[in-house]
Amino acid sequence: MLIKEVDSQEMVKQFLHFPVQLYKNDKNWIRPLDKDIEEVFDQKKNKTFQNGGLIKRWLLFDGQQQPIGRIAAFINPQYKEQQPTGGIGFFECIDDQKAAHCLFDTAKKWLQENKMEAMDGPINFGERDKWWGLLVEGFHEPLYNMNYNFPYYQELFESYGFKNYFDQECYALPIDSKLSNRIKYAHERVARNSDYHAEYLKKNQLEKYIGDFLTIYNAAWETHGGGKQLTLEQAKNIFYSMKPIIEEKIVWFVYHNERPVAFWLNIPDLNQYFKKLNGKFGLIQKLKFLYLQKFTKNNRIVGVVFGVVPDFQGKGVEAYMIVEGTKVINRDLPYTEYEMQWIGDFNPKMIRVAQALGAERSRKLTTYRYLFDPSQPFERHRVL
């Protein structure tokens, strides 16, 4: 086996194409868009570089010079953990422990050279809304920008010494599900208070909603750690990059005396379209995407992120927003299925909200941690 740093356009192509061969017989794998992966490595498009972030990637070859594995390692100074912690991501490998360990060793060596004391993976070089966690349960079609992998990957990680830092649980349910009495009661209690109102996003007022989103997000995630605070520029980039696929009536906000206190950000399941584009998104694919958007049935909404400012948590605001939003979605839109992006097991409050809605776990991913000094105590992510 020979490992090489990806340092040419030809090797970039190999890095992107290797999973195509690996998963060619797996009907559930959906090829990610090449551009979505490459934007992670693009210093002009990934703002993590502006904070002093570093990243490298490698390909592993067999004796016949055929790729058998790949990995990226990175350092995000905004990723605040108990010890200086780097990340690994975009890991793909044949079912071979020696090959996997070679990839992990290479990433570990580079991270140690850059003063890191641990590595988490698989994670993203940037926000947690994409490429985060190893799939360990629910091996069906992935959501957009969600990791998908073979079941044997879990053994490759754990045999190396990675330990479970936290689990990421996804929940799904039909949109017209019967709500529990608890949810109905909480909704009615808030709805009777005229200080509250819920509304969906209007694209012609996008700047206003970006500001409201940022206010709620930074308050709600302040105690999460891991570099979760957003700048206004980052929030604008998120919304403007999503603008072509934002559907107004599935993005909701709650206000208390006009103060933004909660949001519920959903998008259509884009992988229902992208799985037909073979990873490309040039002019022809963009035209095909617009055609698919208009004429292909897509019955699933994906919950991207859900947030409530701390002083309004546990007051029924979550139930109020969900019920108000669901009434409009059921009345005006064709969607029938709903799946939430992951909730960390360190956030039992949000897991209870999902379960109270009647949702069932649809898949589980795991974020692993590997301490370079095995004598140091390992601690799981603290419970919020």
Side-chain angles (χ1 to χ4, degrees):
M1 293 185 291
L2 177 65
I3 195 158
K4 297 180 181 179
E5 182 183 342
V6 175
D7 59 3
S8 68
Q9 279 304 114
E10 182 58 35
M11 291 191 72
V12 168
K13 290 179 181 177
Q14 289 179 296
F15 187 88
L16 294 171
H17 195 263
F18 169 62
V20 177
Q21 292 300 312
L22 193 64
Y23 293 98
K24 63 183 179 182
N25 296 320
D26 189 330
K27 63 181 178 60
N28 290 316
W29 183 70
I30 295 175
R31 182 177 179 177
L33 296 183
D34 291 348
K35 77 170 190 66
D36 288 340
I37 295 176
E38 283 309 290
E39 284 175 2
V40 174
F41 298 89
D42 190 330
Q43 295 193 25
K44 294 179 180 178
K45 295 184 177 179
N46 188 342
K47 302 302 180 184
T48 311
F49 286 104
Q50 296 181 3
N51 299 316
L54 300 172
I55 190 168
K56 277 193 185 294
R57 52 180 159 170
W58 297 267
L59 275 166
L60 182 66
F61 298 89
D62 64 14
Q64 286 72 48
Q65 293 295 301
Q66 296 301 309
I68 57 173
R70 73 177 197 185
I71 198 169
F74 35 82
I75 298 166
N76 180 357
Q78 300 295 106
Y79 190 60
K80 308 295 185 184
E81 297 295 324
Q82 296 98 313
Q83 62 284 309
T85 301
I88 60 167
F90 301 102
F91 172 85
E92 301 285 2
C93 189
I94 61 171
D95 189 4
D96 184 287
Q97 286 190 352
K98 289 183 179 179
H101 289 195
C102 180
L103 290 164
F104 294 143
D105 282 342
T106 300
K108 174 185 173 183
K109 181 175 183 292
W110 181 77
L111 291 169
Q112 285 179 310
E113 290 170 351
N114 284 279
K115 313 300 184 188
M116 296 294 104
E117 297 175 10
M119 58 185 178
D120 287 357
I123 64 172
N124 183 38
F125 185 52
E127 287 299 310
R128 296 187 183 185
D129 62 343
K130 58 185 70 173
W131 317 128
W132 206 284
L134 188 80
L135 186 66
V136 297
E137 179 184 302
F139 294 90
H140 40 85
E141 287 188 351
L143 303 178
Y144 176 57
N145 282 348
M146 176 176 279
N147 282 334
Y148 178 89
N149 50 263
F150 292 115
Y152 68 76
Y153 277 34
Q154 184 173 1
E155 176 61 24
L156 296 182
F157 271 78
E158 294 179 2
S159 69
Y160 187 75
F162 281 94
K163 296 181 179 179
N164 183 320
Y165 184 41
F166 61 84
D167 283 326
Q168 307 160 220
E169 299 185 3
C170 300
Y171 288 85
L173 74 164
I175 288 176
D176 61 356
S177 291
K178 185 177 180 180
L179 297 172
S180 68
N181 289 333
R182 174 185 165 191
I183 294 293
K184 290 178 181 177
Y185 174 75
H187 166 261
E188 290 168 2
R189 180 161 45 86
V190 175
R192 286 195 297 267
N193 187 337
S194 61
D195 291 340
Y196 290 94
H197 80 273
E199 63 184 64
Y200 57 80
L201 176 146
K202 285 84 176 174
K203 285 188 180 182
N204 61 3
Q205 300 176 48
L206 194 57
E207 291 282 336
K208 167 195 176 323
Y209 292 107
I210 291 172
D212 294 345
F213 169 84
L214 186 64
T215 298
I216 300 163
Y217 185 96
N218 282 345
W221 270 265
E222 186 175 12
T223 60
H224 281 217
K228 290 301 294 175
Q229 297 288 286
L230 289 178
T231 65
L232 178 59
E233 182 183 10
Q234 287 173 321
K236 286 183 176 180
N237 286 338
I238 290 170
F239 274 82
Y240 279 104
S241 66
M242 290 173 55
K243 189 175 180 181
I245 52 93
I246 286 178
E247 194 158 347
E248 293 183 339
K249 292 182 180 180
I250 61 175
V251 181
W252 284 81
F253 290 82
V254 172
Y255 299 85
H256 179 260
N257 291 326
E258 302 307 320
R259 174 192 171 191
V261 297
F263 66 72
W264 184 27
L265 175 58
N266 306 295
I267 60 172
D269 180 13
L270 298 179
N271 265 3
Q272 300 306 306
Y273 310 127
F274 291 155
K275 66 182 180 181
K276 300 178 181 180
L277 302 184
N278 193 32
K280 308 302 179 185
F281 206 58
L283 177 60
I284 293 174
Q285 289 81 19
K286 288 177 181 177
L287 293 173
K288 185 174 181 180
F289 171 68
L290 293 173
Y291 175 85
L292 292 170
Q293 266 190 310
K294 189 168 184 178
F295 297 107
T296 301
K297 183 178 179 181
N298 185 348
N299 65 352
R300 184 183 296 137
I301 295 173
V302 176
V304 178
V305 65
F306 185 108
V308 181
V309 299
D311 50 327
F312 281 81
Q313 292 175 7
K315 295 184 176 181
V317 172
E318 301 95 335
Y320 172 67
M321 179 166 56
I322 289 168
V323 174
E324 291 298 304
T326 302
K327 284 192 295 187
V328 173
I329 294 167
N330 277 326
R331 184 191 70 204
D332 297 344
L333 300 173
Y335 301 106
T336 58
E337 299 294 326
Y338 181 72
E339 183 165 1
M340 306 171 196
Q341 285 274 22
W342 62 268
I343 306 169
D345 65 357
F346 52 80
N347 193 353
K349 290 180 182 178
M350 282 307 305
I351 288 178
R352 286 195 292 270
V353 169
Q355 293 171 339
L357 289 169
E360 297 183 356
R361 194 165 74 196
S362 55
R363 62 188 99 216
K364 182 170 75 173
L365 300 96
T366 297
T367 296
Y368 285 99
R369 171 162 292 175
Y370 179 88
L371 298 175
F372 298 158
D373 181 354
S375 69
Q376 294 298 308
F378 174 83
E379 296 181 8
R380 295 192 82 239
H381 194 294
R382 65 181 180 82
V383 176
L384 300 179

